[in-house]
Amino acid sequence: MTTPLNSDRTAVNSIPNTSRITPELVAEHGLKPEEYEHFVKLIGREPSITELGIVSAMWNEHCSYKSSKVWLRTLPTKSPRVIQGPGENAGVVDIGNGLAVVFKMESHNHPSFIEPYQGAGTGVGGILRDVFTMGARPIAALNFLRFGDCHNVKTRRLLAGVVAGIGGYGNSFGVPTVGGSVGFHKRYNGNILVNAMAVGLARADEIFYAAATGVGRAIVYLGSKTGRDGIHGATMASAEFGADAEEKRPTVQVGDPFAEKLLLEACLEIMKAGCVVAIQDMGAAGLTSSAVEMGAKGGLGVELNLDAVPCRETGMTAYEMMLSESQERMLMVIADGKEDEAEAIFRKWGLDFAIVGRTTDTLRFVVKHNGVVEADLPIKELGDQAPEYRRPYEEPLPRPVVAPEDVRTNASVADALERLIASPDLCSKRWVWEQYDHLIGGNTVQRPGGDAAVVRIEDGPKALALTTDVTPRYCEADPFEGGKQAVAEAWRNLTAVGATPIAVTDNLNFGNPEKPEIMGQFVACVKGIGAACEALDFPVVSGNVSLYNETNGKGILPTPAIGGVGLIEDLHKSMTLAFKAAGEPVLLVGK
Amino acid sequence: MKPAVILFPGSNREQDAVRALRLVAGAKPQVVWHAEHELPPGTDLVVLPGGFSYGDYLRCGAIAARANIMEAVRAHAARGGLVLGICNGFQILCEAGLLPGVLVRNARLRFVCREVLLRVERADTAFTKAYRKSDLIRIPVAHGEGNYTADETTIARLEHDGRIAFRYARRDGQIDQTDGPNGAINGIAGIYSEKFNVLGMMPHPENYIEPEIGPTDGRGLFESLAGALKAA
Amino acid sequence: MKARVIVTLKSAVLDPQGKAIEGALRSLGVAGVQSVRQGKVFDVELAGNDRASAEGALKDACDKLLANTVIETYKVEFAE
Amino acid sequence: MKARVIVTLKSAVLDPQGKAIEGALRSLGVAGVQSVRQGKVFDVELAGNDRASAEGALKDACDKLLANTVIETYKVEFAE
Ligand SMILES: Nc1ncnc2c1ncn2[C@@H]1O[C@H](COP(=O)(O)OP(=O)(O)O)[C@@H](O)[C@H]1O
């Protein structure tokens, strides 16, 4: 393809729309009237339908963090080890010997509720891609799960489906799933939590980033073909695209771990060959957010030619292609003159490879389809000037502390112990982790079942300790203390296996932030997490926020999951929790 | 010893196999791409590693069994060359007709990753000389479709010819009929070809070779191979 | 009474299995294959002889368990 | 041309999946289910219009790949 550079720097005056951009259409795209006005002012005219789709994807909560950003900025994110903090596909931390650990956690709550197997599987797929886009080979996966009342038939189906889905994806992809957490509470009845964490290993000086550099370079589409998966704006869409829209627009994607495994190998090979200038995975809001982020971060314009996008279905519109959430896809900027070499590697792995655009010096995001300009937007504003809210919040009132002597029970210690062991939250989770291949790679020193998993780094003696923690009912009782406690628990689980805690990722799962009491929980939890991370010199290097988690109009328990990573210098000195011999003293540390 | 480890799209335990051959057998395995037509000259052992070749779509191992390189593997086996198929490799060998029977979904319909006890059924083959007959060894399994089955005549013939390599066993050495990991008939975890030069097994000896990681009962298999191929 | 339920992925849903099989058939030289989509079939034996009530039961079975209508559609057939 | 290939387990082969579904349907209260066996269906799009040659190609596909005749049987159907 030889798309000429977009040399004229002025935006087009208008792009004709077949249907009018009504307030209803705007609302169906999840934009508030004032957000839409802000956008119209930015571009100086009425947007095209494709442009409306693009901005709705960029400015939604999930992509823009508009409700949470101000608070996330308060978290400590630096330490001498941190190579890359929040803002990229994943966090990067130096672990010595020229190596870095790359990790992040992400939620897939809603899709997993609708289609547990595929929803959970594609959640794992997404987070693995975040890690290997940065040049890291995934070496471990974890997951943090919360379900409703375990006596519900629905809960059992969801649990079985989610666990099978996580295993189905991770096992096939070939990453050991070494840890996680499973819990139950009726407040998750209508809104389960499925948070997946991935951890990868890379050379510290060979990390790949999303920011594009260099004008006129090829932007390449890699991986699986694009279909009409997960396109938003459903109601609008049915009006615009005919009555079979429902059939056309599955809201849940089907994962293809096999394609992902090939994508991993092809990406790492192409990176090693020096072909890659910038790379971004196509996650939520696929082509839109990946292309805009590459341009906005790199201070460059991007021009896409959608005619070149490999499609799985016929007759896809620009709108659909820009918003498709098809899985197992990547966008890359290729080094000058390396296009053929890169293509050969991808073809060998049986994957699609197409030059779909160029970087430009115009700072505009231009999308062409069938020779027509479908979108022409200022890229920086789209990427960086999303609305940001300081939402009103209520300072949460911590629940009164319960004194032990106020708790009346006639249960004997033995009965109480039995009940504790039998409770779904505390019982053995073997049924879960036996469905995950936790041994592949031959580096799993400590398997699920302990305080933290331990995974050897290359041939040792170094190892990583990994854990996910939070106790939601603490966060409900006192969000600030609960946030602190989650960090402290992760820290303790890491130190208990002999690791030095080095950094965390988080997944902040809350209800509707437009409710001041929920926003209050969020703010206090973040403050608690920040305070604990500060005190422990335990920086947050990546994370994810999942809001609007509600069951029948009531928020889930506030659930800021913490994923902790620790470093063990010599795995021979790491510890397990099993008692080693009879007759040895048992010590209690702390008060 | 000149092992070749075959890499199919979707294989994922090939490096585990390479490490075991390197650390235990002192070999320098070659990794061979499935689209090749020939094995490297002098190959004396072919390893089909674990994984999900072609996503295990359709049936596990079915698509990989039809890959180019499998003709060369077939010829190598026909000459009496050694072939080891682990997990997905075992499934591929069955689908390719190099071993009889088929591996279907685990009886409990779930993927299972756990340590099992295997009873070594004979210690006089190229794969098991480093063990003793009836040894109980600890090896992990990690599969969703490891439930070995075949028609009655085939099973009878395998039993009669002593071609069962390993069985899932209990601590007392009896066959694990009820609580095996996958419901395989007669507790079958691995079988030999007629000439005992091809072994397919579901468990992963390659993951149990280093004391830092866990038990090391898998070493015997690779030590046996090293011994057999040195002697040859 | 015997019935057969066929569950297939909706046409726009990605079918990784079908795609892999398609590729394999091509490379095996099977002539003329343009596309393959994989689905599931359930052969169900039902009590009684009343077709209408059997059909009701099977629809129920599909909605509750056999198919996830977010991504799949189903069809019930009866043997003559 | 569209064709459908149905692959089912031979009747002597145990079908744990079918059994599990059977149990699940019973506990969901679906009426009258006596037994369930699960199989696979492949919807194949073929070039050309010659039924006989298409049938040949599909038999070929089944024997080479789609069915494992150790445990499965297959049937080819054409859409009208
Ligand atoms: N979803 C899961 N995936 C993998 N391992 C899990 C999962 N849930 C729990 N585990 C493992 O089971 C063990 C106990 O989990 P949990 O009850 O949450 O323990 P703790 O409260 O000590 O963190 C841990 O080793 C954990 O890694």
Side-chain angles (χ1 to χ4, degrees):
Chain A
M1 193 198 72
T2 51
T3 314
L5 296 189
N6 187 12
S7 47
D8 85 275
R9 278 151 201 267
T10 48
V12 291
N13 292 327
S14 81
I15 300 172
N17 274 320
T18 42
S19 55
R20 274 190 45 239
I21 308 291
T22 60
E24 292 74 41
L25 202 55
V26 169
E28 279 160 10
H29 277 78
L31 289 174
K32 297 267 144 65
E34 55 290 2
E35 290 175 343
Y36 178 71
E37 268 164 41
H38 174 55
F39 179 58
V40 170
K41 212 173 285 159
L42 265 182
I43 67 171
R45 58 177 167 79
E46 183 184 274
S48 71
I49 179 72
T50 305
E51 290 173 331
L52 181 65
I54 289 171
V55 75
S56 78
M58 289 306 300
W59 288 4
N60 74 10
E61 191 63 58
H62 186 79
C63 261
S64 70
Y65 291 88
K66 58 191 171 193
S67 303
S68 55
K69 228 188 218 161
V70 278
W71 298 106
L72 296 180
R73 273 199 285 266
T74 64
L75 293 171
T77 60
K78 293 197 168 62
S79 86
R81 283 191 186 279
V82 175
I83 296 174
Q84 174 67 51
E88 275 285 340
N89 283 309
V92 184
V93 179
D94 194 321
I95 52 170
N97 308 87
L99 292 175
V101 56
V102 177
F103 61 96
K104 185 170 188 281
M105 183 149 51
E106 197 155 79
S107 66
H108 231 212
N109 303 338
H110 185 60
S112 303
F113 186 74
I114 300 176
E115 208 322 298
Y117 185 90
Q118 297 296 345
T122 49
V124 172
I127 196 65
L128 287 168
R129 264 192 318 281
D130 276 336
V131 162
F132 71 78
T133 355
M134 302 207 67
R137 180 176 285 277
I139 60 163
L142 296 92
N143 53 88
F144 178 94
L145 312 176
R146 286 295 178 273
F147 297 93
D149 183 346
C150 70
H151 299 294
N152 285 354
V153 182
K154 173 103 181 160
T155 295
R156 291 177 190 203
R157 284 237 325 262
L158 289 169
L159 172 68
V162 164
V163 169
I166 290 171
Y169 206 102
N171 299 345
S172 174
F173 176 83
V175 64
T177 300
V178 295
S181 163
V182 188
F184 303 87
H185 193 283
K186 61 177 188 301
R187 294 268 293 276
Y188 303 103
N189 273 351
N191 195 120
I192 61 173
L193 299 185
V194 175
N195 298 171
M197 173 172 165
V199 182
L201 204 59
R203 307 236 30 111
D205 55 359
E206 289 171 18
I207 306 290
F208 290 82
Y209 298 99
T213 60
V215 173
R217 285 196 167 133
I219 296 177
V220 168
Y221 171 114
L222 311 165
S224 298
K225 291 188 192 333
T226 296
R228 292 187 173 94
D229 314 71
I231 297 167
H232 296 303
T235 32
M236 177 282 309
S238 34
E240 174 107 338
F241 300 103
D244 57 345
E246 261 313 292
E247 163 82 358
K248 270 193 192 159
R249 287 167 204 288
T251 45
V252 176
Q253 301 89 276
V254 169
D256 185 355
F258 171 58
E260 177 114 327
K261 165 73 171 162
L262 303 182
L263 192 57
L264 162 76
E265 299 299 343
C267 282
L268 294 185
E269 198 171 326
I270 212 174
M271 287 166 170
K272 208 167 190 180
C275 301
V276 181
V277 170
I279 176 166
Q280 172 75 30
D281 106 272
M282 291 193 222
L287 197 49
T288 293
S289 69
S290 56
V292 171
E293 273 170 42
M294 287 177 108
K297 283 190 177 138
L300 289 171
V302 165
E303 183 170 321
L304 294 182
N305 173 12
L306 298 186
D307 302 345
V309 171
C311 286
R312 196 171 81 226
E313 301 174 58
T314 51
M316 288 187 67
T317 63
Y319 178 92
E320 292 173 318
M321 280 191 241
M322 293 311 293
L323 295 193
S324 161
E325 293 191 345
S326 292
Q327 301 287 294
E328 291 90 24
R329 304 180 300 160
M330 297 269 194
L331 209 59
M332 244 180 224
V333 176
I334 297 281
D336 301 331
K338 289 281 195 178
E339 290 91 343
D340 292 345
E341 192 178 339
E343 177 159 6
I345 292 170
F346 265 76
R347 297 279 177 229
K348 175 183 124 191
W349 288 99
L351 294 165
D352 269 300
F353 177 102
I355 297 179
V356 295
R358 297 270 163 191
T359 54
T360 70
D361 60 359
T362 62
L363 280 177
R364 297 200 68 85
F365 183 50
V366 178
V367 177
K368 291 184 177 164
H369 189 217
N370 297 329
V372 176
V373 173
E374 297 282 357
D376 185 344
L377 299 169
I379 204 162
K380 279 276 192 196
E381 288 77 355
L382 205 53
D384 307 338
Q385 288 193 15
E388 219 177 280
Y389 296 119
R390 207 186 169 85
R391 294 200 187 277
Y393 64 95
E394 266 166 29
E395 214 56 74
L397 289 179
R399 303 259 176 92
V401 175
V402 179
E405 51 277 15
D406 295 341
V407 181
R408 296 267 163 256
T409 172
N410 43 20
S412 68
V413 171
D415 288 344
L417 183 64
E418 207 168 277
R419 273 190 64 188
L420 285 173
I421 292 174
S423 86
D425 278 334
L426 297 180
C427 71
S428 164
K429 306 300 189 309
R430 199 171 69 117
W431 183 89
V432 173
W433 48 257
E434 271 194 358
Q435 296 186 57
Y436 305 148
D437 189 339
H438 47 267
L439 297 174
I440 185 169
N443 286 318
T444 309
V445 182
Q446 280 200 44
R447 305 175 190 188
D451 285 313
V454 176
V455 178
R456 180 173 64 178
I457 297 166
E458 294 185 335
D459 288 330
K462 283 192 182 184
L464 292 174
L466 308 166
T467 182
T468 62
D469 297 284
V470 68
T471 307
R473 67 195 159 81
Y474 294 169
C475 297
E476 168 91 352
D478 184 337
F480 180 75
E481 290 300 325
K484 265 165 68 184
Q485 192 275 340
V487 174
E489 185 177 351
W491 167 276
R492 280 195 305 274
N493 280 330
L494 298 176
T495 51
V497 298
T500 307
I502 55 173
V504 305
T505 181
D506 62 53
N507 204 137
L508 309 176
N509 306 278
F510 289 82
N512 179 354
E514 293 163 41
K515 295 181 184 166
E517 68 278 14
I518 302 277
M519 198 59 208
Q521 288 178 336
F522 180 84
V523 171
C525 276
V526 171
K527 284 183 179 164
I529 291 169
C533 287
E534 194 81 61
L536 295 168
D537 202 5
F538 199 20
V540 178
V541 296
S542 60
N544 177 241
V545 179
S546 173
L547 301 174
Y548 300 96
N549 293 290
E550 305 238 315
T551 289
N552 301 329
K554 189 162 161 68
I556 56 163
L557 291 177
T559 314
I562 301 293
V565 175
L567 182 62
I568 296 172
E569 288 296 335
D570 180 357
L571 65 91
H572 300 96
K573 294 188 183 127
S574 85
M575 247 327 122
T576 61
L577 55 69
F579 286 127
K580 304 295 182 289
E584 295 193 331
V586 178
L587 307 182
L588 180 66
V589 183
K591 38 172 195 175
Chain B
M1 179 180 194
K2 282 201 72 177
V5 177
I6 312 295
L7 181 61
F8 299 96
S11 295
N12 61 27
R13 259 188 174 85
E14 74 281 0
Q15 287 309 322
D16 304 32
V18 166
R19 178 191 267 141
L21 288 163
R22 191 163 50 84
L23 293 183
V24 186
K28 288 203 195 86
Q30 296 243 18
V31 175
V32 179
W33 184 237
H34 71 111
E36 300 290 331
H37 290 269
E38 315 230 352
L39 295 166
T43 297
D44 52 11
L45 166 68
V46 173
V47 178
L48 305 183
F52 285 70
S53 56
Y54 295 92
D56 272 358
Y57 297 147
L58 185 60
R59 293 182 308 278
C60 51
I63 300 180
R66 278 93 183 156
N68 288 347
I69 196 68
M70 289 307 291
E71 273 316 309
V73 174
R74 210 183 298 275
H76 170 81
R79 286 191 298 270
L82 296 179
V83 179
L84 169 63
I86 304 171
C87 198
N88 196 225
F90 184 14
Q91 295 162 341
I92 295 170
L93 289 172
C94 288
E95 278 284 345
L98 282 163
L99 290 172
V102 57
L103 294 140
V104 299
R105 270 189 88 180
N106 294 350
R108 292 205 183 91
L109 305 177
R110 291 192 295 271
F111 188 95
V112 57
C113 178
R114 77 155 90 116
E115 180 178 301
V116 297
L117 277 183
L118 293 184
R119 192 173 78 193
V120 180
E121 296 295 290
R122 55 192 300 165
D124 59 351
T125 72
F127 301 91
T128 55
K129 280 217 176 81
Y131 297 112
R132 284 163 311 181
K133 181 172 159 43
S134 302
D135 267 354
L136 292 180
I137 57 174
R138 294 160 67 185
I139 304 283
V141 294
H143 59 245
E145 298 176 81
N147 184 349
Y148 183 78
T149 186
D151 59 59
E152 271 170 46
T153 2
T154 306
I155 298 292
R157 209 175 62 229
L158 287 173
E159 293 286 358
H160 176 265
D161 296 347
R163 284 167 57 193
I164 313 300
F166 305 101
R167 290 184 214 265
Y168 304 109
R170 300 188 314 218
R171 268 174 220 224
D172 64 3
Q174 295 306 304
I175 301 172
D176 195 338
Q177 293 280 22
T178 52
D179 201 31
N182 52 36
I185 201 161
N186 296 357
I188 293 174
I191 57 170
Y192 294 110
S193 62
E194 265 169 52
K195 289 188 280 178
F196 294 91
N197 61 321
V198 179
L199 167 64
M201 64 190 296
M202 287 314 298
H204 289 284
E206 77 278 26
N207 283 139
Y208 265 15
I209 55 161
E210 293 174 276
E212 314 191 302
I213 300 297
T216 54
D217 294 358
R219 295 181 70 92
L221 189 120
F222 299 95
E223 283 163 2
S224 303
L225 285 167
L229 290 169
K230 198 181 296 149
Chain C
M1 192 171 14
K2 279 179 207 286
R4 170 167 279 178
V5 176
I6 294 185
V7 177
T8 50
L9 284 171
K10 289 185 181 174
S11 62
V13 175
L14 173 72
D15 176 15
Q17 313 219 45
K19 207 174 59 177
I21 294 165
E22 211 177 289
L25 286 178
R26 265 193 218 116
S27 68
L28 284 172
V30 175
V33 173
Q34 289 182 323
S35 85
V36 179
R37 311 253 317 155
Q38 181 170 346
K40 293 177 203 157
V41 32
F42 302 95
D43 286 325
V44 186
E45 189 97 44
L46 290 149
N49 266 317
D50 178 19
R51 164 101 44 128
S53 78
E55 199 154 349
L58 288 174
K59 285 234 163 84
D60 194 28
C62 286
D63 291 329
K64 281 188 177 152
L65 184 72
L66 298 181
N68 181 343
T69 50
V70 175
I71 51 173
E72 295 169 326
T73 49
Y74 60 84
K75 224 181 89 189
V76 176
E77 293 172 359
F78 287 89
E80 312 319 296
Chain D
M1 193 170 16
K2 281 180 206 285
R4 171 166 278 179
V5 177
I6 295 184
V7 177
T8 49
L9 284 173
K10 289 184 181 169
S11 58
V13 176
L14 213 66
D15 176 16
Q17 243 163 301
K19 274 264 166 310
I21 292 167
E22 215 174 287
L25 287 178
R26 270 196 213 114
S27 71
L28 285 172
V30 176
V33 174
Q34 291 183 323
S35 84
V36 180
R37 307 230 351 133
Q38 182 170 348
K40 295 174 198 158
V41 34
F42 303 95
D43 286 325
V44 185
E45 189 96 45
L46 289 150
N49 267 317
D50 179 20
R51 164 101 44 129
S53 80
E55 199 154 350
L58 287 174
K59 285 236 161 81
D60 194 28
C62 287
D63 292 330
K64 279 187 177 155
L65 185 70
L66 296 182
N68 181 338
T69 50
V70 175
I71 48 168
E72 297 169 325
T73 51
Y74 62 83
K75 221 180 90 190
V76 176
E77 294 172 358
F78 286 89
E80 311 320 296

